[in-house]
Amino acid sequence: MNTGTVIVMGIIAGGTIFIGLPVGRLAARGTGIRAMLNAITIGVLLFLLWDVLGHAVEPVEAALTAASVGHAASWWPFIGLAALLFVGVAVGLLGLVAYDRWISRQGRTPRRPAATGGGVLRLNEPASRLAFLIAVGIGLHNFAEGLAIGQSAASGELQLAVVLVIGFALHNATEGFGITAPLAGSAHPAPWAQLGLLGLIGGGPTLVGTLLGSVVVSDALALTFLALAAGSIVYVLVQLIGVALKLNRGLTLYVGILIGLFAGLATDFIVTAAGV
């Protein structure tokens, strides 16, 4: 498959993330709507966490199965992949913890105004910072998805590659909503430049992964980014649950989680229908 076709596939798969971004400009005038948007985001990310961990564990379990029926030296691939999984999750989780705490400290330091403005992303604002962290986690996940598309294209499995593009494009449409939902209901609507940059952070890695996957086939590389994504998503989920508890809308929380979870599962069925 030529490079131009691969690029188009990556753009389609990652570009749909922009569909959900305008949610960040909604002027929600009550805690009920904000609580629902926050809860739906939790549901979407719960699905992504399950999806990411499921795909990350697959090569580790395959290596374990091979090692259990082989000789002693065959255990090293399993040990290496398992180490990548655990270290990746830890780095993804603790890395965001450290980064968020550093940004928070910068925001409380009046002597460094340039560092506290946050630029286009407005990282000095809690909601904007949370949206950025969600975009980072989703971007890591989408890089791994792009690798799968690129590797399918490189192996000549056009039908599989097309199905992956369609499935991941639907995933990204829901993920875009999840990125900017924390921004909804703000007194000042999120600027389009901020939404666009968040979309590039979350969806751009799909194209990068697609291009890289078309020339490099590596289970270890895909596992690394899936593990990093899983750790970052865990951190963001904890933050979103904290926001949900502050909003104190019990039934809304659980209904929203179900909506987000079911939306993620529904888009996943397209990929599953192809036997992927």
Side-chain angles (χ1 to χ4, degrees):
M1 190 176 296
N2 62 64
T3 303
T5 303
V6 173
I7 291 175
V8 170
M9 293 173 71
I11 291 174
I12 293 174
T16 54
I17 202 168
F18 289 91
I19 294 174
L21 295 181
V23 169
R25 292 182 58 85
L26 288 179
R29 299 184 179 277
T31 58
I33 297 178
R34 292 199 299 272
M36 177 61 76
L37 293 174
N38 184 79
I40 293 175
T41 303
I42 293 174
V44 170
L45 291 180
L46 279 174
F47 163 76
L48 283 180
L49 180 61
W50 167 78
D51 186 55
V52 165
L53 287 176
H55 285 90
V57 168
E58 284 179 1
V60 181
E61 290 183 337
L64 176 60
T65 300
S68 64
V69 297
H71 49 78
S74 63
W75 283 92
W76 286 112
F78 163 71
I79 294 172
L81 291 175
L84 277 178
L85 175 62
F86 294 135
V87 171
V89 172
V91 171
L93 174 58
L94 300 180
L96 284 193
V97 171
Y99 176 79
D100 196 23
R101 295 180 70 175
W102 177 77
I103 287 292
S104 297
R105 286 197 300 270
Q106 296 297 98
R108 294 194 296 267
T109 306
R111 293 177 299 172
R112 300 183 64 179
T116 63
V120 176
L121 291 172
R122 304 195 297 184
L123 296 180
N124 58 316
E125 301 174 5
S128 295
R129 188 161 64 247
L130 182 55
F132 168 71
L133 295 177
I134 295 173
V136 169
I138 288 177
L140 292 169
H141 167 245
N142 284 339
F143 181 85
E145 288 187 342
L147 288 175
I149 295 172
Q151 290 171 7
S152 299
S155 62
E157 299 177 15
L158 180 59
Q159 182 178 359
L160 174 59
V162 170
V163 171
L164 287 174
V165 168
I166 295 172
F168 294 153
L170 289 172
H171 276 320
N172 275 328
T174 59
E175 290 167 3
F177 163 84
I179 290 174
T180 57
L183 302 176
S186 173
H188 303 286
W192 286 109
Q194 181 186 14
L195 298 182
L197 189 51
L198 288 171
L200 288 176
I201 294 171
T206 309
L207 174 58
V208 177
T210 300
L211 289 171
L212 183 60
S214 66
V215 295
V216 177
V217 177
S218 171
D219 286 341
L221 181 62
L223 172 59
T224 299
F225 279 89
L226 287 171
L228 289 170
S232 61
I233 290 172
V234 168
Y235 177 74
V236 171
L237 277 171
V238 172
Q239 301 302 307
L240 289 171
I241 291 172
V243 172
L245 294 176
K246 289 180 181 179
L247 292 173
N248 193 25
R249 310 284 291 201
L251 181 60
T252 300
L253 170 62
Y254 298 111
V255 171
I257 288 175
L258 283 176
I259 292 173
L261 189 59
F262 289 168
L265 287 170
T267 58
D268 190 59
F269 290 157
I270 293 179
V271 179
T272 304
V276 181

